[in-house]
Amino acid sequence: MQTVLHAAALVPASIPSPDWSGFDIPLPWGSLRIHAYALCILAGIIVGLWLTSRRWNRRGTPEGSLWDIAIWAIPFGIIGGRLYHVFSSPDAYFGPGFDGTGDLSLIPQIQRGGLGIWGAVLLGAVGAWIGCRRAGVKLTAFLDAAAPGLLLAQAIGRWGNYFNQELFGSPTTLPWGLQVDADNANFPPGMPADTLFHPTFLYESLWNLVGVALLLILDRRFNFRRGRLFWLYAMYYTLGRVWIEAMRIDDAEQINLFGITTRLNVWTSIFVFVAALIIFIVLGRRKPDEPDTPYLDGRSPADHDAAAPDTDESGDVKSIRDADEDVSDSESRGNLPDNQSDPDRASSREVADETAGGSTSLQEKQPAAKSADEVTETAPEAGSTK
């Protein structure tokens, strides 16, 4: 019992603030700062792509098509996420009330943090659509395969907020309260230095991990297609984002709707949840496509094989080769003499035989007809007629 109490006493009563936020790479002209925030985002992308790749390959899609899509979706998603963050938290970039006192040079500095998931998903889907069209696959098929991986990437990427000491919640006395350095720019002014805050980054990370497992289980049970798993992901994520976002105390755009003033991200999550629910129900009532395929019309391997010419083992086009053989054979037979089919030639021979003196019949005077093989041997070479 004493051992258990001693171990419990060693467990920290709070989550300590990070003492590391990145490292520097020396260069001839200075150094390159690698931020922990960027490493978390990168780790999330890698792990998310790994899970998506496993699910995508099981659908019989073209080899390498995932990377053809990702090369468009990831840059578009990063740009969209940054633009949404700037739009939803404009004061630092444009000044309060867009009075021009902000710093526009901060907009491209994503290493400082600030990627809005809704902008990332929206513009990332545009990039994925471009990649899917080029690869000949359906966007809905890719979104279904990528939904659990996307949620897993978000779960890992959220830890970047921890290393940046940002986007935490209101003060708390819970044993898992988060410590924030009092000299950090994000520390709320006027609060005691030992104040603990809700670790909203941890709440969302755990919520997303549970969601990954839930999506995988439901997809295995119901085999969602036509984008339904993606919309289920949207519903699950927004459901958690509403209560997590409501706990945060960082500066954000406030929107008044229906007499309620709250953060823009809260309203966005509510609207996305409702829209995703409606689309999910509508898609479920539609008759499923038969057969289900991730390929666009006319781009599947079966369509390609049907459009390809028929070839033999040597690789020659059979229809063309057979036609050439028919023409060659008919030309050869056309060059063979045919006495029976030429009455004028037969008559001339009869006249010549009778003139030569004899009442012997043509049949007696003329040797037996040669076989076709013999005629072929004595006939002029086929094709020599000019």
Side-chain angles (χ1 to χ4, degrees):
M1 184 67 179
Q2 291 181 347
T3 304
V4 175
L5 294 175
H6 179 70
L10 295 178
V11 176
S14 63
I15 300 175
S17 60
D19 55 4
W20 179 82
S21 62
F23 59 91
D24 296 315
I25 299 177
L27 297 173
W29 54 86
S31 62
L32 175 64
R33 180 68 176 175
I34 304 298
H35 293 264
Y37 178 88
L39 293 177
C40 291
I41 298 296
L42 181 60
I45 292 174
I46 293 174
V47 177
L49 282 175
W50 167 79
L51 179 56
T52 302
S53 177
R54 291 175 59 88
R55 292 172 49 79
W56 187 238
N57 292 337
R58 283 201 296 266
R59 297 212 60 187
T61 51
E63 184 177 358
S65 59
L66 173 63
W67 311 112
D68 295 334
I69 300 171
I71 200 172
W72 288 92
I74 293 175
F76 272 61
I78 293 175
I79 294 173
R82 186 59 174 176
L83 292 178
Y84 181 86
H85 167 75
V86 172
F87 173 75
S88 59
S89 303
D91 289 357
Y93 312 101
F94 304 100
F98 295 90
D99 59 6
T101 60
D103 186 358
L104 295 178
S105 67
L106 295 176
I107 293 178
Q109 298 182 36
I110 61 174
Q111 71 275 9
R112 295 175 175 267
L115 292 174
I117 183 61
W118 301 123
V121 171
L122 180 60
L123 210 55
V126 174
W129 175 80
I130 296 174
C132 287
R133 298 292 296 182
R134 294 170 64 90
V137 295
K138 298 176 182 177
L139 175 63
T140 53
F142 174 75
L143 292 178
D144 282 337
L150 177 59
L151 200 56
L152 181 58
Q154 292 174 239
I156 297 174
R158 267 302 171 193
W159 282 83
N161 300 139
Y162 167 70
F163 289 102
N164 275 6
Q165 300 192 59
E166 61 182 359
L167 307 185
F168 42 82
S170 57
T172 181
T173 57
L174 293 171
W176 56 81
L178 175 66
Q179 297 179 13
V180 178
D181 294 336
D183 58 352
N184 188 281
N186 296 319
F187 191 90
M191 289 189 177
D194 60 350
T195 302
L196 301 180
F197 303 91
H198 278 287
T200 51
F201 80 91
L202 180 61
Y203 297 161
E204 185 169 330
S205 182
L206 295 175
W207 176 268
N208 290 348
L209 289 176
V210 173
V212 172
L214 184 62
L215 290 179
L216 293 175
I217 293 172
L218 291 177
D219 189 40
R220 177 171 295 184
R221 172 66 177 83
F222 298 103
N223 193 31
F224 291 115
R225 291 295 184 266
R226 294 173 296 152
R228 296 188 76 205
L229 189 67
F230 173 79
W231 293 112
L232 189 62
Y233 145 79
M235 284 189 288
Y236 178 85
Y237 178 72
T238 53
L239 188 62
R241 187 65 186 267
V242 168
W243 65 268
I244 294 172
E245 187 75 24
M247 298 176 67
R248 285 167 42 175
I249 58 174
D250 55 286
D251 293 335
E253 191 74 6
Q254 300 289 321
I255 303 296
N256 183 286
L257 292 175
F258 313 110
I260 302 174
T261 300
T262 188
R263 300 163 67 93
L264 172 63
N265 286 335
V266 173
W267 286 119
T268 302
S269 298
I270 293 173
F271 291 141
V272 171
F273 177 86
V274 173
L277 176 61
I278 293 173
I279 296 173
F280 181 83
I281 294 174
V282 171
L283 290 176
R285 296 175 65 88
R286 290 176 54 187
K287 183 179 179 180
D289 298 331
E290 294 293 345
D292 177 68
T293 172
Y295 291 91
L296 292 171
D297 292 340
R299 302 291 295 274
S300 69
D303 295 327
H304 181 270
D305 293 342
D310 190 15
T311 60
D312 60 11
E313 295 181 356
S314 64
D316 296 331
V317 180
K318 295 178 66 176
S319 59
I320 298 176
R321 188 202 64 184
D322 294 343
D324 289 343
E325 290 180 352
D326 292 342
V327 172
S328 177
D329 187 57
S330 62
E331 289 178 351
S332 298
R333 290 197 301 268
N335 288 324
L336 296 177
D338 188 354
N339 294 340
Q340 295 181 355
S341 63
D342 193 348
D344 292 337
R345 180 180 298 176
S347 299
S348 63
R349 286 190 177 183
E350 290 176 2
V351 172
D353 291 338
E354 292 176 349
T355 305
S359 58
T360 307
S361 65
L362 176 62
Q363 193 172 19
E364 294 172 345
K365 293 281 286 185
Q366 185 73 12
K370 298 181 179 180
S371 64
D373 294 337
E374 293 172 335
V375 171
T376 305
E377 292 175 358
T378 60
E381 293 184 4
S384 63
T385 304
K386 296 183 180 179

